[in-house]
Amino acid sequence: MWNIVSVLLAVGLLTLLIAWGKVQPLLAFVAASIAAALLLGVPPSKIPGAIEKGIGDLLGSLVVIICLGAVFGKLIADSGAARRIATCLVDALGPSRIPVALTVTGFVVGIPLYYNVGFVLLVPLIFSLVVSSGRPAVALAIPLLAGLSIAHGFLPPHPSPVALVSAIHADMGTTLLYGIVVAIPTLIIAGPLFALSLRRIEAQPAAMFQDGRALQDGELPGVFNSFATALLPVLLLGASTVLMMARPELNGSLSFLANPLVVMLASYLVAIYTLGLAQGRRFSAVMQGPAEAMREIAPILLIIAGAGALKQVLVESGVSADLGALLSSLPVPPLVLGWSVATVIRICLGSATVAGVTAGGIVAPLVHSSGVDPNLMVLAIGAGSLMCSHVNDSGFWMFKEYFGLSLKDTFRSWTLMETLVGVFGLLFVMLLSLFLQ
């Protein structure tokens, strides 16, 4: 029992340091890891080694994939491909189906782009559609932002799903395929259907957010080029996973091509040509984006590093086995437990990434002891990590300030949308688990 109490105290310290003390997350994780190790009886001489091993083991398998995902998404944004995808979908579906077009746009663009980048890039498009269509801004924004949020929480190559795949030994390609299956019905409910109830919310966006710089249509890449390049990692991972499922004898020869690192590197090299050199941009100009992307992704890498330190301390102390046994004995389905742990951390800390990777370290023993599909556990934790966004989440304030909303209307729209994503995400993960049994 003391071991479990020690883990709860360490997580409580982590919450206090980040939420109240505003301590940088990596430092907070290290402090919580040292406290947990001391409480769990790990010899002091072994604590630094455990922390270094945890950081190295988790980052070692992820850092290149996550960084490649960052520079790939940056090139999609800078080249204008994301905007081309958005305008193409809106034009193709017509004025009467703008919410549907924005829903698809958010999801498709959200796969290669990190959430904050997609938000800042596409919000000016929403404001231009408000002017041209006369529709309420919030009712147009929610479908698009739901797509961005779901891609951020559920699908590789986003940092939290990638870290979870590594932490609980899931498969990247299978998680991606299952994630798309779960994401589509979740997105329909939390996006265009929910937006129907938001038509009476009036937004008062600041003028500074409506004048976003945009490339002219003539400067944007072609439609096929934009879609094909942006979705290339999904197509490569999905195709290789399906082929290996259908033809197991090819697993050996395809394992290299299906490796996420190889997939992301190949996709980025293709994007350099299709969205850079082929558009008349100089190579040196194309390479300016990666430096900015690396600065943007660094804080996320530090969060993942800290979560790896805490996880390793739990392993070294032996408490992981106790946690696995305790969680397995509870009369609650394992997927619901994983979702619940992520939800609690999300409510306490605000960050979806911190909630996801921290929950992964805590729940990992449950995956092995219960025999639950690790790919589904990644999705369940991802759904929990998006729950109940409120005042300690930066996304909450971005939405409020960009659209000039009151706190009440922000809770009514943004917070409820994120909660619908979390609840229905879990529901569809559970339904999928029934079909896979």
Side-chain angles (χ1 to χ4, degrees), residues 65-365:
I65 298 174
I66 292 176
C67 288
L68 283 171
V71 297
F72 177 76
K74 182 68 173 174
L75 183 51
I76 296 293
D78 289 348
S79 67
R83 186 170 183 83
R84 172 65 80 186
I85 290 170
T87 54
C88 171
L89 288 170
V90 171
D91 292 342
L93 293 175
S96 62
R97 296 185 179 88
I98 288 178
V100 177
L102 290 174
T103 302
V104 178
T105 298
F107 187 63
V108 172
V109 172
I111 292 174
L113 292 188
Y114 290 133
Y115 183 85
N116 289 348
V117 176
F119 186 106
V120 174
L121 181 70
L122 294 177
V123 160
L125 171 68
I126 295 173
F127 293 142
S128 67
L129 290 174
V130 169
V131 174
S132 62
S133 68
R135 292 171 178 258
V138 173
L140 289 182
I142 285 297
L144 185 144
L145 297 179
L148 286 176
S149 185
I150 288 172
H152 171 71
F154 289 10
L155 303 181
H158 288 276
S160 182
V162 168
L164 284 170
V165 165
S166 176
I168 62 180
H169 306 294
D171 177 76
M172 196 82 71
T174 305
T175 299
L176 177 62
L177 291 177
Y178 289 175
I180 292 174
V181 172
V182 169
I184 291 173
T186 303
L187 178 55
I188 292 171
I189 293 170
L193 291 182
F194 173 58
L196 294 174
S197 68
L198 304 175
R199 292 175 176 175
R200 295 185 179 181
I201 294 181
E202 295 186 5
Q204 297 177 338
M208 62 179 290
F209 296 137
Q210 301 182 49
D211 299 327
R213 293 178 299 168
L215 296 172
Q216 300 300 314
D217 284 348
E219 300 176 279
L220 300 178
V223 173
F224 176 80
N225 185 6
S226 298
F227 274 96
T229 305
L231 295 177
L232 186 58
V234 176
L235 297 175
L236 291 177
L237 269 177
S240 59
T241 300
V242 170
L243 188 57
M244 287 191 293
M245 287 179 175
R247 301 283 301 277
E249 68 274 13
L250 298 177
N251 285 8
S253 57
L254 286 176
S255 59
F256 173 76
L257 297 176
N259 185 285
L261 187 153
V262 175
V263 167
M264 288 307 306
L265 180 59
S267 300
Y268 181 52
L269 293 176
V270 169
I272 289 174
Y273 177 75
T274 59
L275 299 179
L277 303 180
Q279 303 300 312
R281 299 173 63 190
R282 298 179 60 183
F283 185 77
S284 57
V286 175
M287 288 296 103
Q288 290 177 359
E292 297 179 27
M294 293 299 181
R295 286 194 294 269
E296 294 169 0
I297 201 62
I300 296 176
L301 288 173
L302 294 179
I303 290 171
I304 294 172
L310 181 58
K311 176 192 173 185
Q312 189 61 34
V313 164
L314 299 182
V315 172
E316 293 277 345
S317 67
V319 75
S320 287
D322 295 340
L323 279 173
L326 174 64
L327 294 174
S328 298
S329 67
L330 295 176
V332 180
L335 294 174
V336 177
L337 282 173
W339 177 87
S340 301
V341 171
T343 296
V344 171
I345 298 173
R346 160 71 157 177
I347 292 172
C348 293
L349 298 183
S351 168
T353 302
V354 174
V357 296
T358 306
I362 294 173
V363 174

Side-chain angles (χ1 to χ4, degrees), residues 45-71:
S45 60
K46 293 185 177 181
I47 295 176
I51 291 174
E52 292 168 3
K53 181 178 183 345
I55 291 174
D57 286 353
L58 192 53
L59 275 188
S61 61
L62 300 180
V63 65
V64 177
I65 298 174
I66 292 176
C67 288
L68 283 171
V71 297

